[in-house]
């Protein structure tokens, strides 16, 4: 279980990390390069496993498990072919460890905090005990996602059909559930899979923010500040809590914080409205809508690609367009929003050739998936 989980996580990330400079994508921030490698690797292996599962569904069972293992094996052989690059990465890593230049202590503090916060934030909201699943109030639509995941893992639901409505193809943002299902299929239980991937994705979201800001200014410190502000929803709302407890000593305040047992989601409400003042405008939105973590990373990375498109080879821009199009089944509306942004940039910016390349290949890839959905709906 641990071996397959580690392989599914590390192998695609390492392969993309090696291929980025070969494809002419030069990233100065190591944080953005690592997060970009992880995200492209995740999108790629998920899409490949999805296509392979559809093909295998005509011949065998347990297709998602077989597809993930086959993907890992192919990635392993690809890295064997690139063994010199792998050896070079390992050598540089060991040299930095030996010279104590791998990471600065200040960076290590921030990265450790981001990792600790990400896992601490998500794990309390979903747990399993005595074969019973418990969720917090904020994760209210868990019951919608579990059937989708289980149809992938145990039902060989490929090509995916709606888990509730007979004859209707699965459409909206189901690739997020497919990722959870992939890790469940190779040995994690459903709760561990959801918690692990959600926490890891949010950690990489914070790393992406650090790297993106560092690329723009460049300033790593500004990136860390931006990530911390993300955790606090860029809001000083928490100051009102201290304003309401005037007259208490610092020791009383600290004791009340440590002994507090009320659910933080309810404490996050401003006034009486939990929708517009609670869930949407703070991090609990990501607990409920976990697929949106991938969407935000996607948007940040695409914004960086659009900004740097004149420095990227045309062939690579075509591949980037395909990757953007591949996000269609992750989140239809976010992808449509990005296509609209590309059209806007095409109209008003001077780098029209590069923008058009990305746009054309995105639309080609989206059209193929749309045709698949239309065909699936009509065939049923």
């Amino acid at each position: 279980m641990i071996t397959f989980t580690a392989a599914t996580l590390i192998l695609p990330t390492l392969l993309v990390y090696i291929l980025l400079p070969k494809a002419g994508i030069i990233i100065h921030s190591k944080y953005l390069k690592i997060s970009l490698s992880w995200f492209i690797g995740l999108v790629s292996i998920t899409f490949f496993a999805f296509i392979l599962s559809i093909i295998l569904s005509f011949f065998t069972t347990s297709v998602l498990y077989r597809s993930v293992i086959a993907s890992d094996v192919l990635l392993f052989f690809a890295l064997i072919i690139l063994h010199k690059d792998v050896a070079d990465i390992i050598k540089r890593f060991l040299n930095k460890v030996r010279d104590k230049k791998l990471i600065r202590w200040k960076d290590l503090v921030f990265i450790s905090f981001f990792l600790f916060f990400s896992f601490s934030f998500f794990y309390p909201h979903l747990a399993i005990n005595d074969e019973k699943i418990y969720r917090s109030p904020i994760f209210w639509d868990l019951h919608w996602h579990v059937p989708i995941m289980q149809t992938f893992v145990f039902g060989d639901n490929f090509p995916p059909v709606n888990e509730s409505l007979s004859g209707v193809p699965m459409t909206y943002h189901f690739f997020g559930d497919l990722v959870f299902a992939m890790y469940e299929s190779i040995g994690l239980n459903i709760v561990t899979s959801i918690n692990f991937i959600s926490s890891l994705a949010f950690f990489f979201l914070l790393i992406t923010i650090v790297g993106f800001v560092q690329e723009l200014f460049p300033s790593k410190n500004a990136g860390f500040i931006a990530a911390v502000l993300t955790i606090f929803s860029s809001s000083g709302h928490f100051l009102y809590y201290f304003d309401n407890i005037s007259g208490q000593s610092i020791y009383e305040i600290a004791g009340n914080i440590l002994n507090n047992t009320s659910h933080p989601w309810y404490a996050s409400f401003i006034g009486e409205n939990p929708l517009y003042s609670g869930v949407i405008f703070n991090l609990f939105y990501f607990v409920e809508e976990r697929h949106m973590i991938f969407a935000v990373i996607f948007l940040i990375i695409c914004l960086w690609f659009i900004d740097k498109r004149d420095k990227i080879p045309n062939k690579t821009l075509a591949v980037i367009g395909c990757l953007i199009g591949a996000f269609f089944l992750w989140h239809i509306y976010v992808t449509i929003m990005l296509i609209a942004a590309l059209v806007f940039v095409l109209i008003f910016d001077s780098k029209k050739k590069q923008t058009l390349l990305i746009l054309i290949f995105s639309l080609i890839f989206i059209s193929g998936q749309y045709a698949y959905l239309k065909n699936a709906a009509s065939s049923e």
Side-chain angles (χ1 to χ4, degrees):
M1 176 186 70
I2 296 178
T3 302
F4 289 144
T5 300
T8 307
L9 173 65
I10 296 172
L11 294 182
T13 304
L14 181 58
L15 180 61
V16 175
Y17 189 89
I18 291 171
L19 294 179
L20 284 177
K22 295 180 182 295
I25 299 177
I26 306 302
I27 305 173
H28 301 290
S29 169
K30 63 182 178 182
Y31 295 105
L32 184 62
K33 186 175 182 180
I34 292 172
S35 63
L36 180 62
S37 301
W38 171 79
F39 185 74
I40 294 179
L42 176 69
V43 172
S44 301
I45 192 175
T46 305
F47 200 86
F48 181 79
F50 172 71
I51 299 298
L52 189 56
S53 294
I54 292 177
I55 296 172
L56 291 178
S57 66
F58 295 101
F59 307 103
T60 185
T61 58
S62 302
V63 295
L64 185 58
Y65 167 78
R66 297 176 189 273
S67 297
V68 175
I69 298 303
S71 301
D72 288 341
V73 170
L74 290 174
L75 287 167
F76 179 75
F77 281 112
L79 289 171
I80 289 178
I81 295 173
L82 298 169
H83 64 277
K84 291 183 179 179
D85 298 279
V86 176
D88 182 60
I89 289 174
I90 295 173
K91 181 179 178 181
R92 285 188 281 120
F93 176 81
L94 293 176
N95 286 340
K96 288 185 177 181
V97 172
R98 182 194 61 197
D99 298 336
K100 299 180 180 179
K101 295 180 179 180
L102 181 62
I103 188 171
R104 298 185 306 168
W105 70 266
K106 183 172 67 175
D107 294 9
L108 181 61
V109 169
F110 275 106
I111 298 304
S112 300
F113 169 68
F114 293 157
L115 189 63
F116 172 78
F117 177 85
S118 298
F119 280 82
S120 299
F121 182 66
F122 282 96
Y123 265 75
H125 295 281
L126 188 63
I128 186 169
N129 187 29
D130 292 333
E131 299 184 353
K132 297 177 182 178
I133 296 176
Y134 300 87
R135 64 165 181 83
S136 75
I138 184 61
F139 201 3
W140 62 267
D141 69 346
L142 173 68
H143 64 284
W144 289 110
H145 295 282
V146 168
I148 297 175
M149 288 179 267
Q150 300 305 72
T151 63
F152 290 144
V153 178
F154 302 107
D156 291 332
N157 186 20
F158 296 96
V161 178
N162 190 284
E163 76 288 353
S164 301
L165 303 174
S166 176
V168 178
M170 197 176 292
T171 54
Y172 181 62
H173 72 243
F174 68 86
F175 259 50
D177 292 324
L178 179 59
V179 174
F180 299 140
M182 285 171 56
Y183 281 85
E184 184 186 0
S185 72
I186 55 177
L188 299 181
N189 67 57
I190 186 171
V191 169
T192 303
S193 176
I194 295 173
N195 282 335
F196 176 69
I197 298 302
S198 300
S199 304
L200 195 67
F202 189 78
F203 169 73
F204 275 110
L205 170 59
L206 297 176
I207 297 301
T208 302
I209 292 170
V210 173
F212 179 72
V213 173
Q214 187 181 7
E215 284 277 315
L216 288 182
F217 287 104
S219 171
K220 192 187 301 181
N221 291 334
F224 285 129
I225 292 172
V228 171
L229 287 174
T230 300
I231 292 175
F232 287 101
S233 304
S234 299
S235 170
H237 174 61
F238 67 94
L239 295 174
Y240 288 99
Y241 300 134
F242 293 98
D243 183 58
N244 292 330
I245 54 176
S246 58
Q248 297 183 15
S249 68
I250 187 66
Y251 300 105
E252 291 175 316
I253 293 174
N256 291 334
I257 291 174
L258 293 174
N259 294 322
N260 178 44
T261 58
S262 62
H263 199 289
W265 180 46
Y266 298 112
S268 70
F269 296 169
I270 302 174
E272 300 295 330
N273 192 329
L275 181 58
Y276 291 102
S277 299
V279 182
I280 289 181
F281 297 122
N282 59 46
L283 289 189
F284 290 110
Y285 179 72
F286 289 124
V287 175
E288 162 58 19
E289 302 288 350
R290 299 183 182 219
H291 62 283
M292 289 304 297
I293 306 173
F294 304 113
V296 176
I297 298 174
F298 170 74
L299 289 173
I300 294 174
I301 288 174
C302 288
L303 183 60
W304 184 85
F305 278 137
I306 294 172
D307 180 59
K308 302 294 182 182
R309 66 193 185 282
D310 60 323
K311 300 179 178 64
I312 299 175
N314 290 339
K315 291 181 180 179
T316 304
L317 289 176
V319 175
I320 290 171
C322 293
L323 288 170
I324 291 174
F327 203 75
F328 185 70
L329 293 179
W330 285 76
H331 204 297
I332 292 174
Y333 300 116
V334 169
T335 308
I336 292 174
M337 181 172 63
L338 185 65
I339 294 299
L342 283 168
V343 172
F344 181 87
V345 172
L346 178 66
I347 295 172
F348 294 102
D349 194 75
S350 59
K351 306 166 189 175
K352 296 187 184 298
K353 180 181 178 181
Q354 294 89 344
T355 307
L356 192 60
L357 264 174
I358 299 174
L359 187 59
I360 288 173
F361 280 89
S362 298
L363 291 174
I364 290 173
F365 227 72
I366 290 172
S367 299
Q369 294 169 87
Y370 178 75
Y372 150 73
L373 292 175
K374 290 281 289 184
N375 180 68
S378 60
S379 64
E380 293 292 340

